[in-house]
Amino acid sequence: MPDPIFVLNGPNLNRLGAREPQIYGAATLADVRAACEAKASGLGYGVEFRQTNHEGELVDWVQEAADRAAALVINPAAYGHTSVALHDALKLVGKPIVEVHLSNVAKREPFRRGSYVSPLADGVITGLGLRGYELAVEAACLLARERSS
Ligand code: DQA
């Protein structure tokens, strides 16, 4: 088995399903996890799936991804719009990075338009809900495979 795809989720995503379903959809984080695992396993990868409400913990996990991930999928949630610490940690990953957002952040409040993650991502998927995670994991697996060959 190659190194796993890390799928890291930021604050409030533990409330998926109950949280503003008109924006984020009905899927729970457990549903998202199951979809990511299914997609990755079909492509020969395992998944390390985590969620935190704490910025420092997210930074720790990004550093861990630098050491032991084949690629990183990250929904930084609100920290994507605010966190220079996350940006600095992502700079050191050295593996494919795919940023994902369930909602289309470009269609929402102006304060969601900036991202400290996007300049460091290989690609960004926004507005496709649960399907966006599947696409992000697929892209991460393909990029990881390309870079290891
Ligand atoms: C989000 C979009 C962010 O603006 C927001 O703060 C979130 C979720 C998304 O998945 O659509 O918490 O990252």
Side-chain angles (χ1 to χ4, degrees):
M1 220 10 161
D3 285 339
I5 306 295
F6 272 44
V7 181
L8 302 182
N9 296 278
N12 300 305
L13 293 170
N14 53 318
R15 296 292 198 192
L16 277 185
R19 177 190 181 197
E20 300 181 277
Q22 71 286 3
I23 295 176
Y24 297 113
T28 64
L29 196 62
D31 297 332
V32 174
R33 177 189 204 127
C36 289
E37 286 172 352
K39 175 58 74 178
S41 112
L43 293 165
Y45 285 88
V47 166
E48 186 72 46
F49 189 96
R50 299 182 194 166
Q51 185 277 331
T52 181
N53 292 326
H54 303 279
E55 184 176 5
E57 189 161 46
L58 196 55
V59 167
D60 285 344
W61 291 349
V62 168
Q63 291 183 2
E64 193 183 330
D67 293 335
R68 37 175 306 260
L72 171 61
V73 171
I74 185 165
N75 183 346
Y79 289 141
H81 312 303
T82 63
S83 179
V84 176
L86 182 59
H87 176 93
D88 287 347
L90 287 164
K91 261 191 182 162
L92 304 176
V93 166
K95 312 278 172 68
I97 298 172
V98 183
E99 178 183 2
V100 62
H101 296 278
L102 292 150
S103 64
N104 182 352
V105 285
K107 261 198 207 168
R108 300 182 61 195
E109 303 95 321
F111 63 79
R112 294 184 201 278
R113 288 190 195 137
S115 171
Y116 284 101
V117 173
S118 301
L120 300 168
D122 292 273
V124 182
I125 296 173
T126 180
L128 298 176
L130 174 63
R131 183 157 296 164
Y133 272 84
E134 293 172 333
L135 293 167
V137 167
E138 182 173 355
C141 292
L142 298 178
L143 291 170
R145 184 155 300 145
E146 253 171 48
R147 292 212 195 156
S148 71
S149 61

